Structure formats: structure tokens, C-alpha cells
Amino acid sequence: MQQKNLSIMHPRPSSIVAALYTLRDLNVEVAILHGPPGCSFKHARLLEEDGIRVVTTALDENGFVFGGHDRLVDMLQKVEERFSPKRIGVVGTCVSMIIGEELHEAVMEANLDAPVIEVEVHAGYNDNTKGVLFALESALDVGIIDRQEFERQQHLLNEATNVEKKYGAASKEYLEPSRGDVKYTVAKRVIEMLKAGKKGICILNAKKETAYMFADITMALHEVAVKLGVEDNIVNFANLDTELGLPRVRQHAEHILADMHDNVKIDEIIGGLDEYPIAGQQVRQLIKSKYKDFDFAVIAGVPHAIPMEALEGMELISITNGPRQVHPLKDMGHKHVLVEIDLHPKTLGVTNIVESEFGATLRQLAREE
């Protein structure tokens, strides 16, 4: 089937939710969802664990028919009065789009002191990155980001969409979810290779806050290598550049590097935590110039964004948090694929590295050696 004719059957991420997470990364303090009370409930609740308040205009049947302009104006004013936020976001929904609500008119009428990022969005887009783009466009309009950062983000979003269409959750009409390989078995294989003197590359190529758990795999592999006396056989790549990304994203990189400081050395920085779709280019160049003779690679985060030609000849151990990513990775040639199934909820609202299941398994097996 041609890619352009694909009609994806399995559920996909929502543009509304993507907009909410982008507002969080822009350090918005309160986000207003203009729609029904249950819209995006799960993610709204998770975001509250990450320090952003999410409220709703709670449109009901009357609002669906007669509109919710007055309710949105009232909510904007209530938010400023109750929370005194320095930055506010307003996010549209499918309902507000269908009934033709104009978020900007309500924002102008509310006449708030704080800047408001207006995101006219719904969940009907094929690519959830639309929600990110719309939020960034609005942030640009109100002066929260500059043109250079907007264009950088736009490029990254295009690349992220391309990666997903080629090798990710949008690559096939239907992808069966899978829990991947058994962590105990794969951990034994990693220790076996270390004991045999094999050389490995540990690549952290994670998306934003998910790095709080994926980074634990870098630390666990280092700890095991030290225990076995082969730490010089492991090199660590990580997309932890603290100078790149939206404010919250840079903070994540700073926190993770601070946690790693006394425990593990990052040999190569391959980009920022929002550069996971393009970090593979840097990985390719580094391996070609310095690490061609390595035997295996452990890749955590977004493994499918690393070009396979860069990893030629290596045994690949990949860790994702997406059950639908297992089969595409296997099809690409990744021998071992693991899933950290509850990763995302555990990495919201934290400022320190969180232990992963695979990391815990590696440590336990090393203790038993």
C-alpha cells in the first residue's frame, strides 16, 4: 500500500494534547480547554502532576448549540483572578471548532494583564504535530519565542512527522501493540557481551521528559560495566544539550546531567531533548569517524530515528515506551526490543532520573554475578 493512501486504524496522538504539552514547555501556568468537561481528561490530569493547571469551560449541550463565547470570557477572567498567572494558554477542541468559536475575540474581551497563547486546534488532524505548531505560532505572535526558535521547532516537527511515517506509529495501516522482548533475557545478553569484552555504544535519544527514565538505562549500563571492570568498553551518546529547546526542555537536560555528573560520563552530546528526530545524523557521523569497530548498541528513547546504516554490524538492543513501536523496530533489524510500558506517567513532575525496569533488571543480574 502506498504511504499516501494509508488510513491508520489504530488510535493516534491528539493535536489537542500536543498543544497542551507545548504550552507546558513554554512555562504556561494555566491552560484553558474550551470544550466539554471530559475532553483530554487523562492528559489534563497528568499535566497537573507536571506543574501546569488545566481548567475547562465545560461546554454542555446548550453550549454546543448556542456557543461558549461568554463562558470562555468568564473563565479567562476567573483564571486571572484566582491564580494570577504570568502566562495563560487557551486551547480549542473539536466542539469549539465545529460551532465556530473565535478564541481571539474572547481573549480581547477578557482584557487580561497576562499574555495569552491562543491555540485554535481540534483532534482531526492526521499529524498531532499540528497542535505543537499552532501553539508555537501563537507564542511567536505574543513574543514568547523568536522567529529563529520558531523556525527551528518547525523543522524538528517536520522531521518528527517524517520519522513516524517511515518507521513509527504512522508507518502501517495497523500496528499490533506488543510488550516486546523479556527484559531478563535481554539483560543477560548485555552482561554476556560485556563479560566477553565486547564494545558497546549507549545512545540516549529521548523525547523531552521521557529522558528522566531512559537516562537510567545509560546509568545502569555504566554501573554494570564498572562492576565487571569493562567501563572503558562503553561510550555514551546523549541528546542532552542544555542550550537547545523550549525553557522546560532545557531544564530537563540540566536536571538529568546534574544527576549523572558524579556517576557517568557522557562522551558525545548529539543534540537537545527536542532534537530526537534529527540526532541520528550526528550519531551517523560520530560512528563513522570514531566508533566503527563497536559490537553492540543500546538505544533508549526513539531508536527508530537512528539510521540503520549508522549501526551496521552491531547487535541492537532498543528500548521504547511505545507498544506499537516494537514491530516496526523489529522490521528495521533491531534484534532486541523492550518496552518501558508505564514510562510517561512516571516522568511527569520529576526533576531526577527515575529507575527503569530494564535498568533495575541489569543491576539485579550484575549483583548476582
Side-chain angles (χ1 to χ4, degrees):
M1 181 177 292
Q2 294 291 321
Q3 174 69 45
K4 65 181 180 180
N5 294 326
L6 276 184
S7 177
I8 308 299
M9 297 170 64
H10 50 265
R12 300 285 316 290
S14 162
S15 297
I16 298 170
V17 172
L20 286 169
Y21 278 100
T22 305
L23 293 178
R24 175 210 57 185
D25 292 340
L26 290 162
N27 284 338
V28 162
E29 295 175 39
V30 183
I32 301 170
L33 273 169
H34 188 37
C39 181
S40 304
F41 167 77
K42 178 181 177 182
H43 285 280
R45 180 66 193 93
L46 287 172
L47 279 165
E48 290 178 320
E49 297 298 317
D50 217 15
I52 177 173
R53 288 187 172 93
V54 182
V55 299
T56 173
T57 53
L59 295 181
D60 55 16
E61 292 93 336
N62 286 332
F64 297 171
V65 176
F66 299 109
H69 173 87
D70 292 344
R71 190 172 292 191
L72 179 55
V73 172
D74 182 56
M75 182 59 67
L76 283 159
Q77 293 171 340
K78 280 183 179 178
V79 161
E80 183 164 71
E81 180 182 346
R82 179 181 289 266
F83 303 119
S84 301
K86 296 178 181 178
R87 195 171 291 175
I88 299 170
V90 180
V91 180
T93 62
C94 299
V95 169
S96 67
M97 181 274 297
I98 291 169
I99 65 178
E101 293 285 286
E102 293 289 344
L103 302 185
H104 185 68
E105 290 182 4
V107 170
M108 290 296 97
E109 185 174 332
N111 192 29
L112 307 183
D113 294 328
V116 180
I117 301 176
E118 307 158 17
V119 191
E120 297 273 8
V121 69
H122 55 79
Y125 297 101
N126 288 329
D127 303 323
N128 75 311
T129 50
K130 288 287 189 182
V132 182
L133 183 62
F134 296 154
L136 293 170
E137 286 176 341
S138 184
L140 175 65
D141 289 341
V142 296
I144 291 171
I145 61 172
D146 59 23
R147 171 64 61 178
Q148 183 178 1
E149 180 62 21
F150 173 77
E151 291 177 354
R152 175 181 167 276
Q153 292 286 337
Q154 189 175 38
H155 170 65
L156 293 174
L157 291 169
N158 289 336
E159 291 300 315
T161 299
N162 290 337
V163 167
E164 291 308 308
K165 287 182 176 179
K166 288 180 180 177
Y167 309 114
S171 61
K172 292 185 178 180
E173 188 174 61
Y174 181 76
L175 286 168
E176 194 76 36
S178 169
R179 294 298 180 97
D181 296 312
V182 177
K183 295 179 178 70
Y184 177 85
T185 304
V186 179
K188 282 183 66 176
R189 175 58 183 156
V190 170
I191 291 174
E192 178 184 289
M193 287 190 286
L194 289 173
K195 290 171 70 175
K198 302 288 188 181
K199 294 193 294 184
I201 303 173
C202 186
I203 303 172
L204 174 65
N205 187 42
K207 179 179 179 181
K208 301 181 182 180
E209 68 274 8
T210 65
Y212 282 112
M213 185 176 289
F214 285 126
D216 178 64
I217 292 160
T218 300
M219 292 186 66
L221 185 61
H222 172 75
E223 291 165 22
V224 171
V226 168
K227 188 175 188 303
L228 296 175
V230 294
E231 61 268 32
D232 291 341
N233 285 355
I234 298 292
V235 296
N236 297 305
F237 296 5
N239 63 324
L240 291 173
D241 193 319
T242 58
E243 300 299 319
L244 295 171
L246 299 178
R248 182 70 66 92
V249 175
R250 296 197 302 270
Q251 290 167 7
H252 295 328
E254 291 168 2
H255 293 152
I256 292 166
L257 284 172
D259 254 13
M260 287 182 163
H261 182 260
D262 296 326
N263 300 297
V264 58
K265 176 188 174 186
I266 300 300
D267 300 283
E268 308 285 356
I269 297 291
I270 57 172
L273 279 172
D274 57 2
E275 294 194 322
Y276 61 93
I278 64 170
Q281 300 166 18
Q282 182 75 357
V283 171
R284 182 198 288 121
Q285 294 170 4
L286 286 166
I287 292 176
K288 183 178 180 180
S289 62
K290 298 170 68 174
Y291 306 106
K292 285 189 292 189
D293 59 342
F294 277 61
D295 303 296
F296 69 95
V298 177
I299 313 170
V302 188
H304 52 293
I306 307 298
M308 286 301 292
E309 62 267 24
L311 307 167
E312 188 175 357
M314 298 186 201
E315 185 169 334
L316 303 182
I317 301 99
S318 294
I319 306 95
T320 176
N321 65 318
R324 296 190 194 276
Q325 193 57 54
V326 173
H327 293 302
L329 282 167
K330 290 282 190 179
D331 291 344
M332 289 174 70
H334 293 245
K335 185 171 183 179
H336 314 281
V337 181
L338 308 175
V339 180
E340 293 286 345
I341 194 69
D342 293 323
L343 180 147
H344 200 207
K346 292 178 180 177
T347 56
L348 291 171
V350 304
T351 56
N352 296 100
I353 292 172
V354 178
E355 188 172 54
S356 62
E357 290 183 359
F358 186 52
T361 306
L362 278 170
R363 293 182 178 99
Q364 182 59 39
L365 283 176
R367 284 194 290 267
E368 295 173 1
E369 285 292 323

